[in-house]
Amino acid sequence: MGSKAFLALLALVSCGPALANDTFGVAEGLHFSLEKRQSNLDGSVPTYKNPKASIEARVNDLLPRMSVAEKVAQIIQGDLNGWMNLNDPLDNTKTFNATGLQEMMRLKGGSIWGGYLTPYDKFVYAVNVGQKYLMENTTLGIPALIQSEGLHGFTNRGTIFPSPIGLAASFDRKVLHDVANVTATEAEALGINHIFAPVLDLARELRWGRVEEGYGEDAFLTGEMGYAFVQGLQNGKRRGAGPNATARMAATCKHFAAFGSPQGGLNLAQVSGGERELRTTYLPPFHRACMEALSIMTAYSSYDGVPAIADTHILLDILRKEWGYKNWVTTDAGSVDLLINLHGTCPDRECAAKTTIESGWSGEMGGGTYTFLTLPDQIKAGKVSMKALDETVKGMLRTKFALGLFENPYPYEDYESFIRTPFSKEVLHTADAESIVLLENKQNLLPLKQDIGSIALLGPQANRVTFGDYVFFNASLNGISPLDGFTQHLKSFSSTTKINFAQGCELWSNDDSGIAAAVEAAKASDVAIVIVGTWSLDQTLLWTPGTNATTGEHVDVHDLGLVGAQLKLVQAVKGTGKPTVVVFVSGKPIAEPWIKNHADAVIQQFYPGEAGGLALAEVIFGAVNPSGKLPVSFPEHVGTTPIFYDYLKGSRPLDPGAVLDDGSLKFGHQYVLASPVPLWSFGHGLSYTTFAYSDVKLSPPTIKPSGSFTVSVTVKNTGAVAGKEVVQVYATDKVASIVTPNQILVGFEKVEIPAGGSVTVNIPVQATQLGLWASNNKWVVEPGEFAIKIGTSDQSFASATLTVQ
């Protein structure tokens, strides 16, 4: 900290608690005075300052001391840039604007956006200045939430892990927990206490640009992955937190609710559906993952014609009353203004603010016109409910007390020791390795032998690091490209294998002039590995006019095929007659049936983390046995979507047609020239070993609607190498009062089994997972028989029958 800045800081904070001029809304006649609201009249310590008091007691003691202006300031998001200049990521000047600081905290001091790429010591300085001002220079001394992104790693030069859809492909709860643990640890030390993750939107509409941000198409898998992530972020306590603090970081479940299925795949577009689909599909992941999360973020879109931020039924009737959720709820950036300029349900800022807070008891994030600044005057005029304001503020205060911020909101002096630790590198390697999915492996081409003479490494993704969105500028510089990963891996065992590299084409161009060089490289090699796919950009370039991407927020597509000359490149390389491995590096499924039908092996690597290139090499050469499974189904064509596996019974008749390789047409009916069956279904993923299932048992085989049962199965590794298998359990309601899904995932467990070894896997299932939203608008588990299947969504390895009576 510079000496001048430090002296200025001392001067700023030395004046002691100040009395706000406006005390409108402060409760009178209680155990404190208007002049000293931060103290008790009898000299005792206020309950809200007592770390041993319960969270609810502290909230109830603090709230009546607050004026309306102070309450409103708690629920509008401020910005670190309000008193610091954080626009230049290389600038390390540690000075602040005192006027900007005071004004920011007066109006928007409850939560502070800190998602900037900036030197750590400057960031720590900025947080210290802000928190010290709030704690020592405001009447009540309420610290702020300091917020940043952390969807798949802490963004300010923290460790970047695979995109969420890649993490979901691991089908490993521990991986998700550990990734979140590292993300929270790196952010926590710098003074950040609020992370905007996880995303629980389902990949039911694959044209949508943000498919990469969620955990796939399935509600159960998404709920399990989300729960593991929330627990990994929040578990533990901040240094100096009181005994009743419950978390060290606030997770933010988003986007509540039903955001991931916009009409036409267009971001922000309407989502159509009714109460049954809401209850059956979109809400379960949130209920599973988020009841202990310290915050929830609402969606931009409308559902069934009602904007999500103004949906009283979802936000109050279900979330607050039915589920009993008490913590902080916030809108997404600029959402409140969308009531005016997108949804057309409000004519002005006053209406937008009133509607949002009264309909959902949620705060206002930045990115708009700060409509909540109209609330004090509206409340004074009796136009906005004081109860709605108080309930919203209570949610914010509960989250802060749960974090222990009133005891210690500051960064840690030894913050550098928390970032990029040996543990973070271990978790990174595991996550990158377990998220890779082997889709095809004809004639067991893979793994390649270590002494293979040469390989051709081809394609626009071969010498590129492609992360998912929500990373900061130049984050890819920390990543390992496939070319570097193969080079590094081959050196690890003194290989004489030669790498022949040729890019072949660009991701974003139809120019095929480079394909000839790729063909020659393939001809000169024993095996060709062609790495193609989609691409996203960091949070600077993704929103910069003139740049390009095919996935990411606000980047929606009309086609799920490869862009530009990529397919032509694959076809030309395969035409050489050399064994060809195709690797998809992407943020969503790629619809290319020609590749499935003709490539000798196909690998899916959803946007990887920093070790992605190395992990890919390790899988291809067999140092790692692939264990990933698809969290989302791959359609044959965009026109055959939606393709999710848990479609309602009768919804996928099958009489397919096809366009054959010679150009001839084979006509069918569903579809005339294609098939509604996925290229690869949810849950699919191959291994370099084989597994056999036996002795499936249900215990008990008959249950009550309020009961539970355990699926037990013996899994044997019948191959020559150790491997990890994801045991998946699916259920089908044979006869129901309404149309139910043809199958649903109800349990899974990932187990490692040595070659020749066996394990008995026990997977518990709750009867409520078999329920349905009945015609009387209630969740019920109906008596009858359920088919229980162990396998993938399109394969059955063992089965049994459960009876509910």
Side-chain angles (χ1 to χ4, degrees), residues 776-795:
N776 64 352
N777 288 324
K778 291 183 179 180
W779 189 262
V780 297
V781 179
E782 296 183 334
E785 290 188 341
F786 292 79
I788 305 299
K789 179 185 76 173
I790 295 90
T792 66
S793 67
D794 61 348
Q795 290 180 289

Side-chain angles (χ1 to χ4, degrees), residues 492-573:
S492 71
F493 50 85
S494 302
S495 173
T496 58
T497 302
K498 181 182 179 183
I499 298 176
N500 296 311
F501 166 70
Q503 182 171 311
C505 67
E506 297 285 358
L507 285 167
W508 46 78
S509 173
N510 286 316
D511 183 359
D512 59 5
S513 60
I515 292 180
V519 167
E520 291 306 310
K523 289 179 178 179
S525 306
D526 296 316
V527 172
I529 302 168
V530 191
I531 310 178
V532 293
T534 63
W535 70 103
S536 189
L537 296 172
D538 62 60
Q539 289 301 292
T540 299
L541 295 177
L542 191 66
W543 297 85
T544 300
T547 54
N548 61 64
T550 53
T551 71
E553 187 171 359
H554 87 302
V555 182
D556 311 312
V557 294
H558 78 291
D559 189 4
L560 296 173
L562 291 169
V563 171
Q566 292 185 86
L567 179 59
K568 187 183 293 186
L569 169 66
V570 174
Q571 292 171 328
V573 171

